[in-house]
C-alpha cells in the first residue's frame, strides 16, 4: 500500500537560512589618528629631516675624528665619557626640541584648520563623534610624537655609532672606548622615560590649552594662545607684586621634577638611581595638570560641536 510521504520537497524559491555575517569593528579612533597622519605629514617628516641633518653633520665631522679621539683618550674617565656621549646627547636634544615645536604648531592648527578650509562640514558628516575627533588630535602630541621621536632618536644614534665605528677602524684606532664608555641602552631607557613623563604627561595641559584655542580662535591662534597667559602674569605682578603664575608656567614648560631628573643627557641622561618615577607619579602637579588638560579637552569637544566654519 502506497502512503504519501510526510516529507515535502523544499522549494527552490523557499527562503534559505542566511549565516550571520561577522561584523568588524570600525575602530573610529584608530582611523581618525591615521587620518591625522595622512593630512599632517610634518608630524614625521620634520623629525626625519632633523635626523638626516644630524647624520650628515656627523659624517662631515668624521674628517678629523681620529685627532679628536686621540685627544679624548688623554682625559680622565669621566671626561672621556662626557666627550663621547656629547654628540648623541645633542642629537636627542635637537629631536626633542623639534617634536615639541611640531606638537605646538600641530595643536594650534588641528581644529582651526578644519574651520578655515571648511573641511569641518565634511568631517562632521561622518559617523565619528566630536569626542573621538578631539581625542585623536590630542593623541598626536601626547602619544604619537613621543613614541615616534623615541624610535627616530634611537635609530639615529645607532647610525651615528656604526658610522663612528667604521671611521675609527678605518683610521686604525681602537673602538673599545667608544663601545664601553657609551651606555646606549641606558640612554635609551632614560630617553623613553623623559618622553613619556614630560611630553606625554607633564605637557598635557599645554597641548590641551592649545587645542582649546585652536577650536575657539577665528584667526591668529598663536597670539590668542600666548596673550592671555601673558596678561594674567602681568596683572598678577601689578596687582599683587607676585609671580606665582609665571613660575607655574616656567615649571610646566621646563618639565618640572621629571624634566629636572632627566635634563639632558649625561647632562641629558642621568644614572638610573637618580630617577624618581614614583615621586613623579604621585606629585600633585602631575594630577592637577592632567585634570586641567581633561577640562581643556572637554571644552574643545563642546566647541567643535557648535562652532561653524570661518
Amino acid at each position: 500500500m502506497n502512503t504519501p510521504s510526510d516529507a515535502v520537497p523544499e522549494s527552490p524559491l523557499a527562503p534559505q537560512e542566511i549565516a550571520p555575517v561577522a561584523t568588524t569593528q570600525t575602530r573610529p579612533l584608530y582611523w581618525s589618528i591615521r587620518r591625522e597622519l595622512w593630512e599632517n605629514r610634518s608630524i614625521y617628516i620634520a623629525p626625519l629631516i632633523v635626523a638626516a641633518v644630524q647624520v650628515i653633520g656627523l659624517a662631515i665631522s668624521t674628517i678629523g675624528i681620529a685627532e679628536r679621539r686621540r685627544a679624548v683618550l688623554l682625559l680622565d674617565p669621566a671626561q672621556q665619557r662626557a666627550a663621547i656621549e656629547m654628540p648623541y646627547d645633542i642629537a636627542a636634544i635637537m629631536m626633542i626640541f623639534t617634536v615639541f615645536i611640531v606638537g605646538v604648531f600641530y595643536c594650534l592648527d588641528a581644529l582651526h584648520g578644519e574651520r578655515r578650509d571648511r573641511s569641518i562640514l565634511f568631517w562632521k558628516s561622518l559617523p565619528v563623534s566630536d569626542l573621538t575627533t578631539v581625542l585623536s588630535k590630542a593623541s598626536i602630541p601626547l602619544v604619537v610624537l613621543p613614541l615616534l621621536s623615541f624610535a627616530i632618536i634611537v635609530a639615529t644614534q645607532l647610525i651615528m655609532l656604526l658610522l663612528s665605528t667604521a671611521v675609527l677602524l678605518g683610521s686604525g684606532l681602537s673602538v673599545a672606548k667608544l663601545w664601553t664608555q657609551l651606555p646606549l641602552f641606558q640612554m635609551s631607557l632614560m630617553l623613553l622615560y623623559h618622553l613619556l613623563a614630560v611630553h606625554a604627561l607633564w605637557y598635557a595641559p599645554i597641548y590641551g590649552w592649545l587645542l582649546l584655542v585652536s577650536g575657539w580662535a577665528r584667526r591668529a591662534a598663536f597670539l590668542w594662545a600666548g596673550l592671555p597667559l601673558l596678561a594674567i602674569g602681568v596683572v598678577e605682578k601689578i596687582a599683587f607684586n607676585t609671580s606665582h603664575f609665571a613660575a607655574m608656567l616656567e615649571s610646566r614648560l621646563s618639565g618640572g621634577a621629571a624634566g629636572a631628573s632627566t635634563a639632558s643627557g649625561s647632562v641629558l641622561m642621568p644614572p638610573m638611581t637618580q630617577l624618581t618615577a614614583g615621586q613623579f607619579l604621585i606629585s600633585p602637579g602631575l594630577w592637577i595638570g592632567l585634570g586641567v588638560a581633561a577640562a581643556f579637552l572637554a571644552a574643545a569637544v563642546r566647541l567643535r560641536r557648535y562652532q561653524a566654519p570661518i
Side-chain angles (χ1 to χ4, degrees):
M1 180 179 177
N2 295 329
T3 59
S5 172
D6 294 334
V8 179
E10 185 177 358
S11 170
L13 299 179
Q16 303 291 324
E17 183 180 356
I18 301 176
V21 179
T23 60
T24 58
Q25 295 182 352
T26 56
R27 298 182 295 173
L29 181 60
Y30 168 78
W31 287 107
S32 297
I33 295 174
R34 290 285 298 269
R35 163 207 159 187
E36 297 302 318
L37 295 175
W38 288 333
E39 292 193 340
N40 301 274
R41 297 184 179 181
S42 61
I43 293 172
Y44 52 88
I45 289 180
L48 289 175
I49 291 176
V50 173
V53 170
Q54 292 170 347
V55 173
I56 293 173
L58 178 68
I60 297 174
S61 71
T62 55
I63 296 174
I65 193 174
E67 291 75 12
R68 293 196 301 271
R69 187 49 49 90
R70 293 188 182 96
V72 167
L73 295 177
L74 300 177
L75 303 174
D76 61 74
Q79 293 176 328
Q80 287 182 17
R81 177 169 178 171
I84 291 174
E85 289 182 3
M86 185 179 298
Y88 302 88
D89 294 341
I90 293 175
I93 293 171
M94 290 179 60
M95 188 64 64
I96 289 173
F97 179 75
T98 299
V99 297
F100 176 71
I101 296 300
V102 170
V104 167
F105 281 95
Y106 165 81
C107 288
L108 286 173
D109 191 64
L111 297 173
H112 184 265
E114 289 184 342
R115 298 167 59 215
R116 185 181 61 247
D117 59 22
R118 297 180 175 266
S119 64
I120 191 172
L121 298 174
F122 170 74
W123 295 118
K124 279 192 172 185
S125 68
L126 300 180
V128 180
S129 67
D130 297 295
L131 176 61
T132 299
T133 301
V134 172
L135 288 180
S136 68
K137 295 179 182 298
S139 67
I140 296 299
L142 298 178
V143 180
V144 175
L145 277 175
L147 295 179
L148 178 65
S149 61
F150 172 75
I152 294 177
I153 291 171
V154 171
T156 302
Q157 290 178 337
L158 284 174
I159 294 173
M160 293 170 61
L161 177 60
L162 295 177
L163 182 59
S164 299
T165 300
V167 173
L168 290 175
L169 289 176
S171 302
L173 297 177
S174 172
V175 297
K177 284 288 184 180
L178 175 62
W179 285 83
T180 56
Q181 295 287 344
L182 184 66
L184 200 57
F185 179 73
Q186 180 182 345
M187 291 170 64
S188 299
L189 289 180
M190 300 305 100
L191 174 65
L192 182 60
Y193 170 79
H194 175 85
L195 290 170
L196 295 180
V198 177
H199 292 259
L201 297 178
W202 194 255
Y203 285 170
I206 297 176
Y207 294 128
W209 166 252
L210 297 177
L211 284 171
L212 175 60
V213 173
S214 177
W216 174 81
R218 295 184 62 85
R219 59 182 59 87
F222 185 82
L223 291 179
W224 282 113
L227 287 180
L229 305 181
L230 178 62
I232 293 174
V234 171
V235 169
E236 180 197 357
K237 185 64 177 178
I238 295 174
F240 306 104
N241 196 26
T242 58
S243 303
H244 300 302
F245 186 77
M248 182 273 294
L249 286 180
E250 181 182 359
S251 173
R252 188 62 58 175
L253 289 172
S254 64
S261 66
T262 58
S264 303
S266 0
V267 212
L268 177 78
M269 304 298 161
M272 294 286 287
T273 55
Q274 294 186 19
L275 288 184
T276 56
Q279 296 181 12
F280 171 71
L281 291 176
I282 64 174
S283 63
L286 170 65
W287 295 103
I288 292 173
L290 292 178
V292 171
F296 286 155
L297 293 179
V301 172
R302 186 171 182 84
L303 279 174
R304 188 181 188 274
R305 185 172 303 158
Y306 298 108
Q307 290 284 57
I310 299 174

